[in-house]
Amino acid sequence: MNLNLESTESSTNKKETNTKNKEQMRKRMMIVFGAVLGIILLILLILFIMSLVTSKKYSYQEIENIMKNAAIKYYDNHKGRLPQNNEVVEAVDDDILVRNEYMKPLSEYLKEGVNCLGKVEVDYNNGSYIYTPYLECGKAYSTTELFKKATERKNLVVTGYGLYNINNEYVYRGENVNNYISLDGSTEEQSLWRIVKFTQTGEAILVKNTEINANYWDNRYNATTTYRTGINDYAISRMKDTLKKIYFSNDEKEKILTKKAREKLVVFDQCIGKRAADYAANDNSAECSVRAENQRIGLLTVSDYLNASTDANCNAVYARSCQNYNYLRAYNDWWLATALTEDTNNVYYVNKGGYIAKSNASSMFYIRPVVHLSSKAMYTGGKGTITDPYKIR
């Protein structure tokens, strides 16, 4: 009996000891956990305090956006200083924006040791305003327009494929040229455009990379032909109306431009002059003898297509060699803006073979819309290739 009692007491003591040990271990773990948690909270508190006393350093693009937004607020309160026509450019520098408390001094946004001068230019664009911020930071950074970036001396050529200086314009020619551009940041091929050329004023003339929306150029009854062969006058054509609809369309199946992309575009005068089949000059002298003013969207001319080929035998409207070494060649029939002088119903188009032909305006061919990009569009990246197109803001 005594042995059993002693065994029971011993077992009880062991349980009590184990319980005490577990309790002590739990308390120690709680202390350790509490200490670790306290250290973490202390570190977070220190980081928070540091974030309050340490100013954030911004990228150059972020600083440009700060200046742009500051300028918009400034001119909201000084509307009388805004330009009233397309010929005038207004500007406000960073000192004025700082003095009027629309932004902090540039030094508070910049990394230590970097000094910059800033300004925002404002252009009137047919009812709306384009605000363009500029930063000049010496060797560290300089705001660059796409026009200046693309037309750097190293990018110009006199033979082969590339960017030529002809007819007082910078024109892309050849089969494989790096002139792809994204207007909205997308790099999908269906969303890309091609830079056909830069005008004397720095605007970029863009053509849709792919053909869209097969349609007639015009489908009216023609009194001369006595059929619905269409009338080849662009100014009153169905094509002009169709393009306008496409430009403003928000239909996902038809939309080719986002609202953000349209903000970068400017109105232009579409060359709509007719051209004779035997006209020799490819400088748009015939096509631009008549213009449709203040257009937002249009088509390429005969000269535009011919100039894109580097084949020496591409020397006439119907020359089949124009399909060679020509990045504008596509594999569907697509319309040009230019009609023939010889009659009232025929219009030039680029056929599946890649050379120019003529057809009744009532024919159904694809469309490759053309828009003009502002000379103030800023280069933000890209090499102009199909996988790394030029990117702008």
Side-chain angles (χ1 to χ4, degrees):
M1 289 291 293
N2 289 338
L3 289 173
N4 288 336
L5 287 173
E6 290 177 0
S7 176
T8 300
E9 289 176 359
S10 176
S11 177
T12 300
N13 291 336
K14 286 181 178 180
K15 288 180 179 179
E16 290 177 353
T17 301
N18 287 339
T19 300
K20 289 179 180 179
N21 289 339
K22 289 179 179 179
E23 183 65 22
Q24 291 175 353
M25 184 175 291
R26 188 180 68 82
K27 288 180 179 179
R28 285 196 295 268
M29 289 179 66
M30 290 296 291
I31 292 171
V32 171
F33 177 77
V36 171
L37 182 60
I39 292 171
I40 292 173
L41 291 174
L42 180 62
I43 292 172
L44 291 175
L45 179 61
I46 293 172
L47 291 174
F48 176 71
I49 293 172
M50 288 179 64
S51 69
L52 293 178
V53 300
T54 304
S55 59
K56 176 186 174 182
K57 300 307 176 185
Y58 296 76
S59 69
Y60 294 113
Q61 256 186 291
E62 288 175 325
I63 298 172
E64 288 167 342
N65 287 332
I66 289 170
M67 289 196 304
K68 177 180 177 180
N69 292 330
I72 291 172
K73 293 176 183 177
Y74 172 82
Y75 282 106
D76 278 344
N77 294 321
H78 299 82
K79 288 185 169 62
R81 298 179 184 177
L82 285 166
Q84 300 302 309
N85 58 66
N86 294 5
E87 306 301 321
V88 177
V89 178
E90 177 65 30
V92 58
D93 62 33
D94 61 294
D95 285 340
I96 293 175
L97 295 175
V98 171
R99 285 203 304 270
N100 285 272
E101 299 183 346
Y102 292 105
M103 60 180 282
K104 298 176 183 178
L106 287 177
S107 58
E108 295 196 24
Y109 304 110
L110 295 163
K111 296 177 181 177
E112 190 173 347
V114 177
N115 296 306
C116 298
L117 296 174
K119 69 175 180 177
V120 180
E121 291 188 356
V122 187
D123 294 79
Y124 181 80
N125 182 26
N126 293 278
S128 61
Y129 293 98
I130 299 176
Y131 291 81
T132 308
Y134 289 87
L135 268 180
E136 182 55 59
C137 310
K139 294 182 179 180
Y141 178 78
S142 180
T143 303
T144 305
E145 295 99 335
L146 173 67
F147 166 68
K148 290 182 179 178
K149 178 67 177 179
T151 59
E152 290 176 349
R153 184 179 294 275
K154 65 180 181 180
N155 294 330
L156 302 181
V157 300
V158 293
T159 60
Y161 302 159
L163 187 62
Y164 285 72
N165 188 347
I166 59 174
N167 300 328
N168 295 316
E169 297 177 319
Y170 293 98
V171 181
Y172 280 101
R173 306 181 68 205
E175 189 168 12
N176 300 310
V177 291
N178 296 330
N179 63 346
Y180 289 92
I181 183 171
S182 172
L183 291 178
D184 55 11
S186 172
T187 55
E188 294 183 8
E189 188 173 351
Q190 298 294 320
S191 300
L192 297 179
W193 295 72
R194 306 295 291 270
I195 305 171
V196 177
K197 59 185 178 182
F198 291 97
T199 67
Q200 294 181 50
T201 58
E203 292 177 12
I205 298 180
L206 313 181
V207 66
K208 195 81 171 65
N209 183 45
T210 53
E211 314 94 289
I212 63 168
N213 302 45
N215 215 317
Y216 41 75
W217 203 89
D218 191 76
N219 68 341
R220 291 180 173 88
Y221 172 80
N222 188 310
T224 303
T225 63
T226 68
Y227 291 102
R228 290 177 64 92
T229 53
I231 299 172
N232 63 0
D233 182 350
Y234 185 92
I236 56 173
S237 68
R238 302 291 193 198
M239 177 57 67
K240 183 181 175 184
D241 298 334
T242 298
L243 287 169
K244 183 177 180 180
K245 180 182 177 182
I246 291 171
Y247 182 88
F248 289 105
S249 177
N250 288 316
D251 186 322
E252 290 301 323
K253 293 181 180 180
E254 294 182 347
K255 184 168 68 174
I256 62 169
L257 292 163
T258 62
K259 182 180 178 181
K260 182 179 179 182
R262 289 198 294 262
E263 290 174 353
K264 305 180 180 100
L265 306 178
V266 294
V267 298
F268 61 96
D269 294 345
Q270 169 72 56
C271 294
I272 60 172
K274 295 183 179 182
R275 173 171 173 153
D278 61 355
Y279 192 81
N282 293 329
D283 56 2
N284 271 312
S285 55
E287 294 92 329
C288 293
S289 61
V290 182
R291 299 170 184 263
E293 297 180 348
N294 298 324
Q295 302 300 297
R296 296 182 181 275
I297 188 169
L299 298 175
L300 291 180
T301 66
V302 166
S303 287
D304 290 334
Y305 187 78
L306 298 181
N307 283 332
S309 171
T310 55
D311 193 309
N313 295 310
C314 179
N315 51 16
V317 171
Y318 297 132
R320 297 202 170 198
S321 294
C322 295
Q323 65 188 285
N324 295 334
Y325 322 121
N326 192 332
Y327 72 91
L328 285 173
R329 176 181 178 177
Y331 295 96
N332 289 300
D333 300 321
W334 53 282
W335 287 116
L336 296 171
T338 312
L340 282 75
T341 58
E342 290 87 344
D343 54 52
T344 61
N345 59 291
N346 278 305
V347 179
Y348 294 109
Y349 73 100
V350 180
N351 69 13
K352 296 176 182 178
Y355 52 90
I356 293 176
K358 68 176 181 177
S359 181
N360 285 333
S362 58
S363 298
M364 294 289 287
F365 298 144
Y366 284 89
I367 302 171
R368 293 186 73 177
V370 168
V371 294
H372 280 218
L373 180 66
S374 169
S375 61
K376 298 294 183 68
M378 295 298 153
Y379 170 80
T380 61
K383 299 178 180 178
T385 64
I386 191 169
T387 56
D388 188 18
Y390 285 125
K391 299 178 183 65
I392 57 172
R393 63 164 174 77

